[in-house]
Structures are given as structure tokens and as C-alpha cells.
Amino acid sequence: KNAAVSRDGKMTKAQRNKQVRKREQEAAEEANRLAKRQRRDLSNLKHLNSALTEEQAQSVDKQARRQVARDERRLEAPSRLGKHLYQPEPAPVLLTEELTGSYRRLAGCHTLLRDRLKSLQRRELVEPRKKAEKVKSKNFMKYEPGAKGEKEEEMHESTIKATMASRKMKASVTM
């Protein structure tokens, strides 16, 4: 006799037909849902259009406000001429201990030159600068006076001794 045939993973014709009908039904339901959504969007079109125009108007207003604020800031602050930005000098205000009873004893402004410079920088006639600080080298070597000369003398003497020794060796070999 023949061995029993197994039908693992195989479907009958009825099962295949049932599966095809199920797929078709799901596709029809999906198409129905899509058509319903489109009809709803079409009926809502006026509302959506008005919402979009309102949103666009708000964004245009916001951009205009930002542009005006940006222009105002640009007009208030001086433009950058050089690498550094203009820093206004703090107002010269005397402390309560420094105040005296009369104007005669009041100390004068000793920063007149600095005030003129700041005024020129604010009016963009001179570029703002900062004091350049000297950078100390990281690998700074300190030499002792005369130490290098002594080492050179020692090295010179040792090379002379080595050449003399090699000459003696050559002389003894040739004789």
C-alpha cells in the first residue's frame, strides 16, 4: 500500500474561495470608508478653507510683527563693524558715600577720553576693540648662563679624545 499523504499547509478549494471572498469584502469595506471620508471632507470644505485662510493670515501677521521688531532692534543697536560687539559704558553714578553737599567739592569726570571713544563707537565711526592680552608661551625654556658653553666644551673635548684614540689605533695597526 501507499503511505498516507499529509496535507500540511494545503487548503481545499472551498477554503481558498472563502479566503478570496473575505479579501474582496475587506477591500470593498476599505473603499467604502475612503469614500465616506471624502464625502465628509467635501461637505466640510468651506469650514476647512476658512480655517486655512485664518491660519495663513495669522502667520503673515506674526511674520510682519517679527520683521518690525527685528528692524527696530537693528535701528536701536549699532551694527557690528569689527569682530567685537559695541558694549555701552555704564552710567557714571556716584555712590552715597561719595556724594558731597556742594557741587564745588564734586569730583570731575576723569574718563572724558573714554566717553569720546564710546561715542565714536556708538555712531559707528570707530570699530569696538578689546585690549589684546599677551599669551605666555607654554613651553618656555629657561637657560642658565654659561651652562650651554660648558656642555659644548665637554663634548668637544670628548670628540677630540675619541679621534686621538682612533688615530693611535690606526697607527698601531699599520706598524
Side-chain angles (χ1 to χ4, degrees):
K1 283 188 164 180
N2 290 341
V5 178
S6 67
R7 295 184 53 95
D8 290 335
K10 297 223 177 194
M11 296 169 74
T12 63
K13 204 172 200 177
Q15 288 173 331
R16 281 197 303 270
N17 289 341
K18 188 176 180 182
Q19 193 177 32
V20 167
R21 282 194 306 273
K22 187 177 179 185
R23 276 196 207 128
E24 288 173 356
Q25 185 182 4
E26 286 175 356
E29 286 175 1
E30 184 63 33
N32 234 352
R33 277 194 292 267
L34 185 64
K36 196 174 183 180
R37 189 178 307 132
Q38 285 175 346
R39 283 194 305 272
R40 188 178 62 233
D41 288 347
L42 281 175
S43 65
N44 241 358
L45 197 59
K46 287 182 183 176
H47 176 70
L48 287 173
N49 198 12
S50 64
L52 275 175
T53 54
E54 187 179 323
E55 207 173 289
Q56 285 176 346
Q58 286 177 354
S59 69
V60 166
D61 289 344
K62 193 175 183 181
Q63 284 177 348
R65 282 195 308 268
R66 281 184 180 171
Q67 185 64 37
V68 167
R70 196 177 299 127
D71 291 342
E72 286 176 359
R73 265 187 275 128
R74 207 173 281 146
L75 287 173
E76 285 175 9
S79 63
R80 185 179 288 218
L81 288 180
K83 189 166 78 170
H84 302 291
L85 192 64
Y86 168 73
Q87 297 289 331
E89 193 77 12
V93 178
L94 294 175
L95 300 173
T96 52
E97 299 90 43
E98 297 170 345
L99 287 175
T100 57
S102 69
Y103 285 126
R104 286 187 181 185
R105 292 191 212 145
L106 196 62
C109 181
H110 60 277
T111 57
L112 193 60
L113 191 62
R114 181 180 289 160
D115 288 344
R116 291 296 92 216
L117 179 67
K118 285 292 181 179
S119 172
L120 289 171
Q121 287 177 353
R122 187 180 58 249
R123 290 182 287 154
E124 301 171 14
L125 299 173
V126 176
E127 72 172 289
R129 293 188 177 195
K130 290 187 179 174
K131 188 176 180 182
E133 296 176 7
K134 288 186 178 179
V135 180
K136 208 169 192 182
S137 177
K138 289 181 182 174
N139 41 2
F140 180 73
M141 295 180 70
K142 192 172 183 181
Y143 293 104
E144 297 173 17
K148 189 175 180 185
E150 291 171 5
K151 278 188 178 179
E152 284 179 348
E153 287 175 8
E154 290 173 11
M155 296 271 292
H156 185 64
E157 288 173 11
S158 66
T159 52
I160 289 174
K161 285 179 184 175
T163 53
M164 293 300 270
S166 64
R167 284 183 188 166
K168 284 182 184 175
M169 291 288 283
K170 285 182 183 175
S172 64
V173 170
T174 54
M175 290 186 157

